[in-house]
Short mmCIF file of all heavy atoms in Angstrom, two decimals:
data_model
loop_
_atom_site.label_atom_id
_atom_site.label_comp_id
_atom_site.label_asym_id
_atom_site.label_seq_id
_atom_site.Cartn_x
_atom_site.Cartn_y
_atom_site.Cartn_z
N ASN A 95 -7.62 3.77 8.62
CA ASN A 95 -8.64 3.29 7.67
C ASN A 95 -8.05 2.71 6.41
O ASN A 95 -8.78 2.17 5.57
CB ASN A 95 -9.57 4.45 7.27
CG ASN A 95 -10.33 4.98 8.47
OD1 ASN A 95 -10.87 4.19 9.25
ND2 ASN A 95 -10.36 6.29 8.62
N VAL A 96 -6.73 2.86 6.25
CA VAL A 96 -6.13 2.34 5.02
C VAL A 96 -4.89 1.51 5.33
O VAL A 96 -4.16 1.78 6.29
CB VAL A 96 -5.74 3.48 4.02
CG1 VAL A 96 -6.95 4.28 3.61
CG2 VAL A 96 -4.65 4.39 4.55
N LEU A 97 -4.67 0.53 4.48
CA LEU A 97 -3.47 -0.30 4.60
C LEU A 97 -2.25 0.57 4.32
O LEU A 97 -2.30 1.45 3.47
CB LEU A 97 -3.56 -1.41 3.55
CG LEU A 97 -2.59 -2.57 3.71
CD1 LEU A 97 -3.15 -3.56 4.73
CD2 LEU A 97 -2.38 -3.29 2.38
N ILE A 98 -1.15 0.31 5.03
CA ILE A 98 0.11 0.98 4.70
C ILE A 98 0.62 0.37 3.40
O ILE A 98 0.75 -0.86 3.31
CB ILE A 98 1.14 0.79 5.83
CG1 ILE A 98 0.63 1.45 7.11
CG2 ILE A 98 2.49 1.36 5.44
CD1 ILE A 98 1.39 1.05 8.37
N PRO A 99 0.87 1.19 2.37
CA PRO A 99 1.34 0.61 1.11
C PRO A 99 2.64 -0.16 1.29
O PRO A 99 3.51 0.27 2.05
CB PRO A 99 1.58 1.84 0.21
CG PRO A 99 0.87 2.97 0.86
CD PRO A 99 0.75 2.66 2.31
N ARG A 100 2.73 -1.31 0.61
CA ARG A 100 3.86 -2.22 0.79
C ARG A 100 4.81 -2.21 -0.41
O ARG A 100 4.36 -1.97 -1.54
CB ARG A 100 3.34 -3.66 0.96
CG ARG A 100 2.36 -3.88 2.09
CD ARG A 100 3.03 -3.72 3.43
NE ARG A 100 2.38 -4.45 4.50
CZ ARG A 100 1.41 -3.99 5.29
NH1 ARG A 100 0.94 -2.78 5.12
NH2 ARG A 100 0.93 -4.73 6.28
N THR A 103 3.73 -4.14 -3.43
CA THR A 103 2.74 -3.46 -4.29
C THR A 103 3.46 -2.49 -5.24
O THR A 103 3.02 -2.29 -6.37
CB THR A 103 1.68 -2.77 -3.41
OG1 THR A 103 1.23 -3.71 -2.43
CG2 THR A 103 0.50 -2.29 -4.22
N ASP A 129 -8.84 0.12 -10.84
CA ASP A 129 -8.20 -0.46 -9.67
C ASP A 129 -9.30 -0.87 -8.68
O ASP A 129 -10.23 -0.09 -8.43
CB ASP A 129 -7.26 0.58 -9.04
CG ASP A 129 -6.86 0.20 -7.63
OD1 ASP A 129 -6.22 -0.85 -7.46
OD2 ASP A 129 -7.19 0.96 -6.68
N ILE A 130 -9.20 -2.07 -8.14
CA ILE A 130 -10.25 -2.55 -7.22
C ILE A 130 -9.66 -2.72 -5.82
O ILE A 130 -8.72 -3.50 -5.62
CB ILE A 130 -10.85 -3.87 -7.74
CG1 ILE A 130 -11.50 -3.64 -9.11
CG2 ILE A 130 -11.88 -4.43 -6.73
CD1 ILE A 130 -11.97 -4.90 -9.82
N GLY A 131 -10.21 -1.99 -4.85
CA GLY A 131 -9.68 -1.99 -3.47
C GLY A 131 -8.65 -0.88 -3.30
O GLY A 131 -7.47 -1.11 -3.09
N THR A 132 -9.16 0.35 -3.36
CA THR A 132 -8.31 1.56 -3.42
C THR A 132 -7.35 1.71 -2.25
O THR A 132 -6.17 2.02 -2.44
CB THR A 132 -9.23 2.81 -3.41
OG1 THR A 132 -10.26 2.62 -4.35
CG2 THR A 132 -8.47 4.06 -3.67
N GLY A 133 -7.84 1.55 -1.01
CA GLY A 133 -7.02 1.83 0.17
C GLY A 133 -6.54 3.27 0.15
O GLY A 133 -7.33 4.21 -0.05
N SER A 134 -5.24 3.47 0.30
CA SER A 134 -4.67 4.84 0.28
C SER A 134 -4.71 5.45 -1.11
O SER A 134 -4.38 6.64 -1.27
CB SER A 134 -3.22 4.79 0.77
OG SER A 134 -2.45 4.01 -0.14
N GLY A 135 -5.01 4.63 -2.11
CA GLY A 135 -5.00 5.13 -3.49
C GLY A 135 -3.63 4.95 -4.14
O GLY A 135 -3.37 5.46 -5.24
N CYS A 136 -2.76 4.20 -3.47
CA CYS A 136 -1.38 4.13 -3.96
C CYS A 136 -1.29 3.57 -5.38
O CYS A 136 -0.52 4.10 -6.20
CB CYS A 136 -0.50 3.34 -2.99
SG CYS A 136 -1.06 1.65 -2.70
N ILE A 137 -2.06 2.52 -5.70
CA ILE A 137 -1.92 1.91 -7.04
C ILE A 137 -2.46 2.85 -8.14
O ILE A 137 -1.72 3.19 -9.07
CB ILE A 137 -2.62 0.53 -7.11
CG1 ILE A 137 -1.95 -0.46 -6.15
CG2 ILE A 137 -2.61 0.00 -8.54
CD1 ILE A 137 -2.64 -1.83 -6.07
N PRO A 138 -3.72 3.31 -8.05
CA PRO A 138 -4.21 4.14 -9.15
C PRO A 138 -3.44 5.45 -9.29
O PRO A 138 -3.22 5.94 -10.40
CB PRO A 138 -5.68 4.39 -8.77
CG PRO A 138 -5.77 4.15 -7.31
CD PRO A 138 -4.77 3.07 -7.03
N ILE A 153 -12.16 1.74 -7.09
CA ILE A 153 -13.31 1.52 -6.21
C ILE A 153 -12.88 0.89 -4.89
O ILE A 153 -11.87 0.18 -4.81
CB ILE A 153 -14.38 0.62 -6.88
CG1 ILE A 153 -13.83 -0.79 -7.13
CG2 ILE A 153 -14.88 1.23 -8.15
CD1 ILE A 153 -14.88 -1.74 -7.72
N ASP A 154 -13.64 1.21 -3.86
CA ASP A 154 -13.43 0.58 -2.55
C ASP A 154 -14.78 0.55 -1.85
O ASP A 154 -15.63 1.42 -2.06
CB ASP A 154 -12.42 1.39 -1.71
CG ASP A 154 -11.77 0.54 -0.62
OD1 ASP A 154 -12.49 0.06 0.30
OD2 ASP A 154 -10.54 0.33 -0.69
N VAL A 155 -14.96 -0.44 -1.00
CA VAL A 155 -16.21 -0.55 -0.25
C VAL A 155 -16.20 0.41 0.95
O VAL A 155 -17.24 0.72 1.52
CB VAL A 155 -16.43 -2.02 0.19
CG1 VAL A 155 -15.52 -2.40 1.33
CG2 VAL A 155 -17.88 -2.32 0.51
N SER A 156 -15.01 0.87 1.31
CA SER A 156 -14.87 1.71 2.50
C SER A 156 -14.87 3.19 2.15
O SER A 156 -13.96 3.69 1.47
CB SER A 156 -13.58 1.35 3.25
OG SER A 156 -13.20 2.41 4.09
N ALA A 159 -11.73 4.86 3.55
CA ALA A 159 -10.53 4.68 2.72
C ALA A 159 -10.59 5.62 1.51
O ALA A 159 -9.60 6.28 1.17
CB ALA A 159 -10.42 3.23 2.26
N GLU A 179 -17.96 1.14 -3.93
CA GLU A 179 -18.56 -0.03 -4.59
C GLU A 179 -18.09 -1.30 -3.89
O GLU A 179 -16.93 -1.40 -3.50
CB GLU A 179 -18.12 -0.03 -6.06
CG GLU A 179 -18.80 -1.02 -6.93
CD GLU A 179 -20.28 -0.73 -7.09
OE1 GLU A 179 -20.66 0.45 -7.26
OE2 GLU A 179 -21.06 -1.69 -7.03
N ASP A 180 -19.01 -2.24 -3.74
CA ASP A 180 -18.65 -3.54 -3.17
C ASP A 180 -18.43 -4.50 -4.34
O ASP A 180 -19.38 -4.86 -5.04
CB ASP A 180 -19.81 -4.02 -2.27
CG ASP A 180 -19.54 -5.40 -1.69
OD1 ASP A 180 -18.50 -6.01 -2.04
OD2 ASP A 180 -20.37 -5.86 -0.88
N ILE A 181 -17.20 -4.93 -4.54
CA ILE A 181 -16.91 -5.75 -5.72
C ILE A 181 -17.53 -7.14 -5.59
O ILE A 181 -17.70 -7.84 -6.60
CB ILE A 181 -15.38 -5.84 -6.00
CG1 ILE A 181 -15.10 -6.34 -7.41
CG2 ILE A 181 -14.66 -6.68 -4.95
CD1 ILE A 181 -15.67 -5.54 -8.52
N LEU A 182 -17.94 -7.52 -4.39
CA LEU A 182 -18.58 -8.84 -4.23
C LEU A 182 -20.07 -8.76 -4.62
O LEU A 182 -20.70 -9.78 -4.86
CB LEU A 182 -18.43 -9.34 -2.79
CG LEU A 182 -16.98 -9.49 -2.30
CD1 LEU A 182 -16.94 -9.93 -0.85
CD2 LEU A 182 -16.22 -10.48 -3.17
N ASN A 199 -5.25 -5.38 -5.53
CA ASN A 199 -4.57 -5.99 -4.38
C ASN A 199 -5.66 -6.16 -3.32
O ASN A 199 -5.83 -5.32 -2.46
CB ASN A 199 -3.45 -5.05 -3.89
CG ASN A 199 -2.83 -5.56 -2.60
OD1 ASN A 199 -2.94 -6.73 -2.25
ND2 ASN A 199 -2.17 -4.66 -1.87
N PRO A 200 -6.45 -7.23 -3.44
CA PRO A 200 -7.61 -7.37 -2.56
C PRO A 200 -7.21 -7.96 -1.20
O PRO A 200 -6.06 -8.37 -1.03
CB PRO A 200 -8.49 -8.35 -3.33
CG PRO A 200 -7.52 -9.24 -4.02
CD PRO A 200 -6.32 -8.39 -4.35
N PRO A 201 -8.15 -8.03 -0.27
CA PRO A 201 -7.84 -8.72 0.99
C PRO A 201 -7.50 -10.17 0.68
O PRO A 201 -8.24 -10.82 -0.06
CB PRO A 201 -9.16 -8.63 1.77
CG PRO A 201 -9.93 -7.51 1.14
CD PRO A 201 -9.53 -7.51 -0.30
N TYR A 202 -6.38 -10.67 1.24
CA TYR A 202 -6.02 -12.06 0.92
C TYR A 202 -5.41 -12.85 2.06
O TYR A 202 -4.93 -13.97 1.87
CB TYR A 202 -5.13 -12.14 -0.32
CG TYR A 202 -3.76 -11.45 -0.27
CD1 TYR A 202 -2.76 -11.89 0.59
CD2 TYR A 202 -3.47 -10.39 -1.12
CE1 TYR A 202 -1.51 -11.28 0.58
CE2 TYR A 202 -2.23 -9.78 -1.13
CZ TYR A 202 -1.25 -10.23 -0.27
OH TYR A 202 -0.02 -9.62 -0.27
N LEU A 222 -10.62 -5.07 7.46
CA LEU A 222 -11.39 -5.10 6.20
C LEU A 222 -10.45 -5.18 4.99
O LEU A 222 -10.80 -5.74 3.95
CB LEU A 222 -12.25 -3.82 6.10
CG LEU A 222 -13.07 -3.61 4.83
CD1 LEU A 222 -14.19 -4.63 4.73
CD2 LEU A 222 -13.65 -2.20 4.78
N ALA A 223 -9.26 -4.61 5.14
CA ALA A 223 -8.30 -4.59 4.03
C ALA A 223 -7.47 -5.87 3.96
O ALA A 223 -6.85 -6.16 2.95
CB ALA A 223 -7.36 -3.39 4.17
N LEU A 224 -7.47 -6.62 5.06
CA LEU A 224 -6.52 -7.73 5.15
C LEU A 224 -7.14 -9.11 4.96
O LEU A 224 -6.62 -9.93 4.21
CB LEU A 224 -5.85 -7.72 6.55
CG LEU A 224 -4.87 -6.59 6.83
CD1 LEU A 224 -4.52 -6.56 8.32
CD2 LEU A 224 -3.60 -6.77 6.01
N PHE A 234 -12.12 -13.04 -3.36
CA PHE A 234 -12.00 -11.80 -4.14
C PHE A 234 -11.47 -12.07 -5.55
O PHE A 234 -11.90 -11.44 -6.51
CB PHE A 234 -11.12 -10.78 -3.41
CG PHE A 234 -11.85 -10.10 -2.29
CD1 PHE A 234 -11.77 -10.60 -0.99
CD2 PHE A 234 -12.64 -8.99 -2.52
CE1 PHE A 234 -12.47 -10.00 0.05
CE2 PHE A 234 -13.35 -8.38 -1.49
CZ PHE A 234 -13.26 -8.89 -0.20
N GLU A 255 -2.22 -8.70 -6.98
CA GLU A 255 -1.25 -9.08 -5.95
C GLU A 255 -1.91 -10.24 -5.21
O GLU A 255 -3.12 -10.21 -4.95
CB GLU A 255 -0.98 -7.91 -4.98
CG GLU A 255 0.07 -8.29 -3.94
CD GLU A 255 0.49 -7.15 -3.06
OE1 GLU A 255 0.66 -6.01 -3.55
OE2 GLU A 255 0.64 -7.39 -1.84
C1 SAM B 301 -5.17 -5.19 0.71
S1 SAM B 301 -6.03 -3.64 0.73
C2 SAM B 301 -5.23 -2.84 -0.62
C3 SAM B 301 -5.20 -1.36 -0.51
C4 SAM B 301 -4.32 -0.68 -1.57
N1 SAM B 301 -4.78 -1.00 -2.91
C5 SAM B 301 -2.87 -1.10 -1.41
O1 SAM B 301 -2.39 -1.85 -2.25
O2 SAM B 301 -2.24 -0.66 -0.43
C6 SAM B 301 -7.62 -4.10 0.13
C7 SAM B 301 -8.64 -2.98 -0.05
O3 SAM B 301 -9.86 -3.58 -0.51
C8 SAM B 301 -10.97 -2.94 0.11
N2 SAM B 301 -12.09 -3.87 0.12
C9 SAM B 301 -12.38 -4.85 1.03
N3 SAM B 301 -13.52 -5.48 0.70
C10 SAM B 301 -13.97 -4.90 -0.46
C11 SAM B 301 -15.11 -5.09 -1.29
N4 SAM B 301 -16.01 -6.04 -1.00
N5 SAM B 301 -15.27 -4.32 -2.38
C12 SAM B 301 -14.35 -3.35 -2.68
N6 SAM B 301 -13.25 -3.10 -1.92
C13 SAM B 301 -13.06 -3.87 -0.83
C14 SAM B 301 -10.46 -2.58 1.50
O4 SAM B 301 -11.22 -1.53 2.05
C15 SAM B 301 -8.99 -2.21 1.21
O5 SAM B 301 -8.86 -0.85 1.00
#
Side-chain angles (χ1 to χ4, degrees):
N95 297 314
V96 300
L97 194 82
I98 297 166
R100 303 291 206 269
T103 312
D129 164 62
I130 299 172
T132 312
S134 63
C136 59
I137 296 176
I153 65 177
D154 203 296
V155 74
S156 159
E179 189 66 42
D180 178 356
I181 196 59
L182 301 177
N199 173 20
Y202 62 66
L222 177 68
L224 289 168
F234 283 93
E255 182 174 319

